[in-house]
Amino acid sequence: MSATPTGRRETRRGHDSVVLDRTFRAPIESVWAAVTESDRLARWIGTWTGDPASGSVRFRMNAEGDEVAAETFTIDACDAPRHLAVTSSSEGGGQSWVLTLDLVEVDGTTTLTFSQSVPDASWAGGVGPGWEWYLDRLVAAESGGDVAALDFGDYHPAMEEDYREMFRD
């Protein structure tokens, strides 16, 4: 596995953000389900509980150990199957994150563009490699690959300095 970052720095929803793309040989509805349905999310990142119609859900990551607490994700915008914008809020007033997922299908191939806000360069060193790993897990889950074969150590610290440098002013 190459330790070359695929992400880039852009302003999204008014925030300095890490932006990454992943491509799937699948219809947009299938990729949308993989990033929004709790049982499909469980294969690569975590699960959510609650009623999205209420405007928020509780999301818990499942690949970072049993001690990870669930966070509330407010659904800021949802235009299925093309656009989802959410904002996280953790218990105790920790860092909140602004995340956006945009999907486009052309000729049976769907591209997912994902972004997460990054408050400064020190955060980028963890956010960038973390999402590289998670999104590669999504690709593996959707293409029949072995999600467990992806080692976070291949991403972090290998990409950490690249992402920090990307976000230095």
Side-chain angles (χ1 to χ4, degrees), residues 58-87:
R58 297 280 295 163
F59 178 75
R60 184 180 171 283
M61 297 177 102
N62 63 8
E64 297 186 16
D66 294 333
E67 302 302 314
V68 177
E71 296 181 61
T72 299
F73 276 75
T74 301
I75 301 165
D76 302 317
C78 181
D79 179 19
R82 303 193 185 293
H83 176 75
L84 178 64
V86 298
T87 303

Side-chain angles (χ1 to χ4, degrees), residues 66-151:
D66 294 333
E67 302 302 314
V68 177
E71 296 181 61
T72 299
F73 276 75
T74 301
I75 301 165
D76 302 317
C78 181
D79 179 19
R82 303 193 185 293
H83 176 75
L84 178 64
V86 298
T87 303
S88 74
S89 57
S90 58
E91 304 295 323
Q95 180 66 45
S96 65
W97 303 105
V98 177
L99 299 97
T100 305
L101 295 88
D102 290 301
L103 290 84
V104 175
E105 181 183 355
V106 176
D107 298 328
T109 298
T110 301
T111 299
L112 166 68
T113 300
F114 171 88
S115 69
Q116 179 179 319
S117 60
V118 177
D120 61 49
S122 66
W123 286 94
V127 170
W131 281 112
E132 294 271 8
W133 182 64
Y134 273 119
L135 293 175
D136 284 352
R137 288 169 56 90
L138 169 61
V139 170
E142 291 305 301
S143 65
D146 182 3
V147 173
L150 294 168
D151 182 356

